[in-house]
Amino acid sequence: MSEETHTPERQATFREVFAQREYRAVFAATVLTWTGDYLAKAAVTLLVYQQSQSVALSAAAFATSYLPWLVGGPLLTTLADRYPYRTVMVICDLIRLPLYAAIAIDGLDTPVILALLFAATLANPPSQAARSAMLPLLLTGDRLVVALSLHGSASQAAQVLGYAVGAGIALYSPALALLLNAAAFGVSASILWFGVRHRPAVPPEHGRRHLLRETGAGFALVFGTPVLRAIAIMVFCAMLFAIVPEGLAAAWATEFAGTGAERSATQALIMVAAPAGFIVGGLLVGRAVRPDLRRALVRPFAVLAPLALVPALLNPPPAVVALLAAVSGFAVAGLLPVTNGLFVLALPHGYRARANGVMNTGVQVVQGVAVLATGLLAERFTIPGVVGLWSAAGVLLMLLLALHWPRSERFDAAIAAAQRRSAEREAAAESAPARPGRTSPPNPRPPSSEAGIGAV
């Protein structure tokens, strides 16, 4: 479908999005657990730094929450396609509750804290994949795109609140921050169980196969399709930069302000700056900008994300660091909702959880790698120098990716192809039920059409 023949869709409103009762429940539960998680992340990062006085270990504590995506993320997200989405989310909440409560036990050594944190965050991949796969069942069209922008901004708002409150609480009682996070998962499980109706698991297109083969099909879908591959690489590379000030905030704040309340306030300022910029950018781009202009802004926002952090080389004061991080967050907000919308709209039904899992895994792993790498570099060089040079290299990388970004017509074709495939599958399922004992056809393959995924 060319741009000349494409009829622009009317922009949806926030009122239309929140009119969906089940979405309200998913939104409330998600924001609640996000807030608790960021509160706990700020507390654990500070706790480990206080125990070890090591920037690298502090960064490792921050990055541990991303490690499960690398170790088990793809396989765990594939499980979300095998079971009802609501059930997966509730079980994951109930698993994380006691593990975060255990981290609050006084006197635990740093390796034990990191091990418990890793175990708790193993539930993140299937939970996020199930939620991402459920959203297209609740909302369609531009209501879904606006919901994704709203979802992203709410995530950052929860991050701002969690980091700000967490840094303050952790100064006096890290255990309290962790117990609040555990309680948030219990409340979330209740909201989801009573607020979202049960839907059966998505039936497999080719019959249920080995978990590894189904996981591989998700990777083949994303990286075997040119449009999807371009989106994935763009998103992954963008995530290498905006996260860095947050990951180094505890050590950076100590260099600025030493210890005590001033250090806590500085850490909170740096950690909340990028999420605050994301909130503003997500709301403006998602609601006030028409769909075709959102697509056109992907390239400049991609370059701006690392460019905004290059002045860190000059070792500016905390307020300026926060401003630079906020601009970077604003740029990421202009990029992610658009790509998320393209993913969801162009995704064939039945591959949502595992395809979302591939993208979420990549995003989480890339963020963790960025924090770990810059943390290790900051052990030998100054933090401002590391952040500035890391971001300068990012500008060159994003310029290269922007030059190879696909034209809008290719995304339109991907969406149309995925919609046709989904319609054909639904029609085939109604007219020809699967035969008993038939689990897979000869040479089963993932869809080869130009399809996208939704990373929420």
Side-chain angles (χ1 to χ4, degrees):
M1 181 182 296
S2 68
E3 293 182 328
E4 289 76 19
T5 60
H6 177 66
T7 301
E9 184 178 9
R10 181 185 65 83
Q11 286 181 246
T13 66
F14 292 140
R15 182 186 296 273
E16 291 172 338
V17 171
F18 281 113
Q20 220 289 344
R21 181 186 62 82
E22 291 179 284
Y23 175 76
R24 293 198 302 270
V26 172
F27 180 85
T30 301
V31 170
L32 181 64
T33 55
W34 272 338
T35 303
D37 260 351
Y38 288 121
L39 187 150
K41 185 177 291 187
V44 170
T45 302
L46 178 59
L47 180 62
V48 171
Y49 185 75
Q50 288 175 337
Q51 288 183 353
S52 65
Q53 295 299 307
S54 169
V55 178
L57 282 177
S58 176
F62 185 91
T64 295
S65 60
Y66 302 108
L67 186 59
W69 291 93
L70 175 61
V71 176
L75 287 174
L76 293 171
T77 54
T78 300
L79 286 174
D81 265 334
R82 295 192 169 199
Y83 303 98
Y85 296 140
R86 184 190 69 168
T87 301
V88 171
M89 291 188 289
V90 169
I91 290 176
C92 288
D93 282 349
L94 295 178
I95 289 174
R96 288 177 284 191
L97 190 158
L99 290 172
Y100 275 107
I103 300 175
I105 297 174
D106 187 38
L108 294 180
D109 293 333
T110 296
V112 177
I113 292 174
L114 296 180
L116 287 171
L117 182 62
F118 173 77
T121 52
L122 277 174
N124 289 354
S127 178
Q128 290 190 28
R131 181 180 66 244
S132 298
M134 177 181 285
L135 289 180
L137 302 178
L138 307 180
L139 300 166
T140 59
D142 199 54
R143 287 195 304 160
L144 176 59
V145 178
V146 171
L148 292 172
S149 296
L150 178 63
H151 214 65
S153 295
S155 167
Q156 301 306 308
Q159 191 169 353
V160 170
L161 180 61
Y163 279 156
V165 176
I169 293 178
L171 187 63
Y172 302 99
S173 176
L176 177 59
L178 292 162
L179 290 174
L180 288 174
N181 185 36
F185 283 113
V187 176
S188 171
S190 299
I191 293 174
L192 291 170
W193 187 259
F194 294 106
V196 179
R197 70 179 178 86
H198 172 78
R199 291 176 175 83
V202 179
E205 184 175 23
H206 297 300
R208 193 59 68 198
R209 294 178 282 160
H210 190 279
L211 188 64
L212 287 174
R213 296 189 67 182
E214 292 189 5
T215 301
F219 279 92
L221 173 64
V222 175
F223 295 106
T225 308
V227 164
L228 291 184
R229 186 167 59 245
I231 295 173
I233 294 173
M234 176 70 82
V235 171
F236 294 163
C237 290
M239 294 298 100
L240 282 170
F241 310 105
I243 192 67
V244 170
E246 297 174 37
L248 302 181
W252 211 346
T254 301
E255 291 188 5
F256 278 127
T259 60
E262 184 180 358
R263 187 217 54 76
S264 178
T266 302
Q267 177 187 353
L269 177 66
I270 296 173
M271 294 187 87
V272 304
F278 193 105
I279 294 169
V280 176
L283 293 175
L284 287 178
V285 174
R287 182 65 189 93
V289 179
R290 66 182 188 270
D292 59 328
L293 185 55
R294 293 177 203 155
R295 292 191 189 185
L297 291 174
V298 165
R299 296 182 187 186
F301 278 137
V303 177
L304 179 59
L307 180 63
L309 296 173
V310 173
L313 273 169
L314 304 177
N315 193 20
V320 177
V321 171
L323 178 61
L324 298 178
V327 174
S328 180
F330 184 97
V332 173
L335 170 70
L336 289 188
V338 180
T339 54
N340 286 346
L342 291 171
F343 288 154
V344 173
L345 293 174
L347 176 65
H349 191 54
Y351 287 83
R352 285 174 178 158
R354 76 188 93 165
N356 275 291
V358 172
M359 289 300 293
N360 283 328
T361 297
V363 167
Q364 301 296 332
V365 169
V366 164
Q367 287 181 319
V369 168
V371 172
L372 280 174
T374 53
L376 290 172
L377 289 171
E379 288 281 329
R380 301 191 59 181
F381 307 100
T382 65
I383 293 179
V386 169
V387 175
L389 291 176
W390 181 270
S391 302
V395 173
L396 299 177
L397 175 62
M398 300 310 286
L399 281 171
L400 179 63
L401 295 179
L403 290 174
H404 292 87
W405 185 245
R407 298 180 61 183
S408 184
E409 298 94 302
R410 297 190 64 187
F411 292 113
D412 291 334
I415 294 171
Q419 290 174 342
R420 286 194 301 269
R421 186 177 185 90
S422 297
E424 291 170 359
R425 180 180 176 188
E426 291 174 3
E430 292 177 359
S431 60
R435 289 174 291 178
R438 179 78 178 269
T439 58
S440 63
N443 301 320
R445 296 176 299 171
S448 58
S449 61
E450 293 278 316
I453 68 172
V456 182

